[in-house]
Structures are given as C-alpha cells and as structure tokens.
Amino acid sequence: MLRTRRRSRRASLWSQATPTEKSVIDESRQLIRDYINGRLKKSNLTRGRLPDAKRRPSEVSSQLQKMGGELERMYPHLYRDVSRQINITLSSESILETSFETVANELFSTGITWARVVAMFAVAGAFSVDCVHQGHPMFTRRLVDIVVDFTDRKLSSWLVQEGGWYGLVKHFRGDGRTNMFWAISGIGAAIGLAATFFVIDL
C-alpha cells in the first residue's frame, strides 16, 4: 500500500513537471515580454516597455537573452532596422503581424532548431525597436501576442517534445554555440525572401 502511494506521488510530481502545450505557451508570453523589455533597455528606449512585476528573470529567460544578445552583437546588420530591410513601414498592427509572420515562416521553413527559435526572438526584439523608432511604442503589446500566437500554432508541439523551454538551457550547455550558426544563415534567408514578398505585394 505504501509503495503504491509512493509511486502515485512520484507519478503526480512527474506529471506536474512534464511540459504541456498550455504551459509552454504560458511561459512563451513571459519570455517574449522579458526579451522585448531587455532589447528596448539595451537601446536606451523607455517608451514601448511592457509592464512587469519586479522579479528576477528565469534561467530560461536569462539564457535566451544571452544567446539572442550574442546574435545581435555578432550580426548587427541582421537585427537592426528590420522593417527597412524588408521595405515596409510599421504603420499598423496588421502590417507588423504580416511582417513578423513572413519572416518567421521563412525562418522555420526548413525545420525547427533551438538556434532558429533564438533568432526568432532576436527578430521580435528588432521589430520592437522599430515600432518605437517609427512612433508606435504601443505596438509592442501587440507584438507579444503575435509572437505567442505564432509559437502556439507552429512551435508548441516541437517545444513539448524538446522538454519545454528548459530544453533551450540544456541545449546551449552543450554545443549550442556551434548550432547557433544555423540561425545566422536561416535568418539571412528569411529577411531576403521577406523583402521580395513586400516589394511585390505592398
């Protein structure tokens, strides 16, 4: 009887620790909020920052910002003035949504990797800066929803299979720096193809 209770308790604890699509999406919202706030802070921008409780970032959030910051540092031309690179002006939330979706879809067109997930956050951070620079700091709130919605539709199942967001921490403890270079070529292609799309259709 005691063994049965212990097994039941262990199973319950394991169930709580096992990521679900809902838990992954809930965490995604906080992660993108943290990333946008961090990106705007690095750019010395106060407008557009999202309200947040005073708390220490989670280990996942810290790792995500660290790796995203590394991408931004090594390849600033890819993560600066993204809207200009794809030949659009962020004059409405619908244009922001279409722009992000186009770049993100191309980024993951040949598969999902942790490096590309980090690159997606870096792109979102770049868009948040563009929103503020173009006079629409309020768009950053909508940008959070756009990223979360994309994650829900396109990435949530993969994230669960990878052990949830903590899988990112475990991945980059290994050979993550090597894998990061996949993101560079991927996001370069994404921006290039997105530019073609907007030149033709807008």
Side-chain angles (χ1 to χ4, degrees):
M1 183 71 174
L2 183 58
R3 287 183 179 178
T4 302
R5 287 179 179 175
R6 285 177 177 173
R7 287 176 183 172
S8 176
R9 185 178 179 183
R10 287 174 183 170
S12 176
L13 290 172
W14 172 250
S15 176
Q16 292 174 17
T18 302
T20 64
E21 291 193 11
K22 182 182 184 304
S23 67
V24 161
I25 295 308
D26 288 344
E27 191 170 359
S28 298
R29 183 170 296 278
Q30 189 58 58
L31 290 173
I32 187 58
R33 288 173 67 90
D34 287 350
Y35 198 96
I36 287 174
N37 280 341
R39 184 68 173 83
L40 293 175
K41 183 177 180 179
K42 284 192 296 185
S43 299
N44 296 315
L45 297 172
T46 55
R47 294 192 306 159
R49 291 190 195 177
L50 303 159
D52 202 1
K54 292 184 178 180
R55 59 173 182 77
R56 295 183 62 183
S58 67
E59 185 178 5
V60 175
S61 183
S62 296
Q63 184 69 35
L64 184 57
Q65 292 186 58
K66 176 183 176 182
M67 300 310 297
E70 185 71 7
L71 276 179
E72 294 162 6
R73 184 188 66 79
M74 292 190 300
Y75 299 89
H77 61 287
L78 292 180
Y79 302 99
R80 186 178 299 155
D81 298 323
V82 173
S83 59
R84 186 173 65 181
Q85 291 187 56
I86 59 177
N87 197 41
I88 55 98
T89 299
L90 299 174
S91 57
S92 70
E93 292 183 351
S94 62
I95 290 178
L96 173 62
E97 181 174 4
T98 302
S99 303
F100 178 83
E101 286 263 345
T102 300
V103 175
N105 279 326
E106 187 57 39
L107 176 59
F108 294 105
S109 62
T110 58
I112 305 171
T113 66
W114 280 118
R116 295 184 184 194
V117 171
V118 173
M120 179 188 74
F121 274 73
V123 169
F127 271 121
S128 72
V129 172
D130 286 354
C131 287
V132 176
H133 282 165
Q134 294 181 29
H136 303 289
M138 71 292 294
F139 285 5
T140 58
R141 293 174 181 267
R142 176 59 185 146
L143 182 57
V144 170
D145 293 334
I146 291 168
V147 176
V148 171
D149 180 63
F150 182 88
T151 302
D152 187 13
R153 290 183 288 108
K154 302 294 182 70
L155 307 179
S156 58
S157 296
W158 182 87
L159 288 167
V160 169
Q161 292 172 8
E162 293 295 311
W165 280 105
Y166 194 73
L168 178 143
V169 175
K170 293 189 291 185
H171 175 78
F172 285 115
R173 279 176 180 166
D175 61 348
R177 182 173 286 272
T178 298
N179 292 337
M180 181 61 70
F181 289 100
W182 285 102
I184 306 305
S185 59
I187 194 58
I191 291 175
L193 289 181
T196 301
F197 174 86
F198 283 110
V199 166
I200 293 173
D201 288 359
L202 288 183

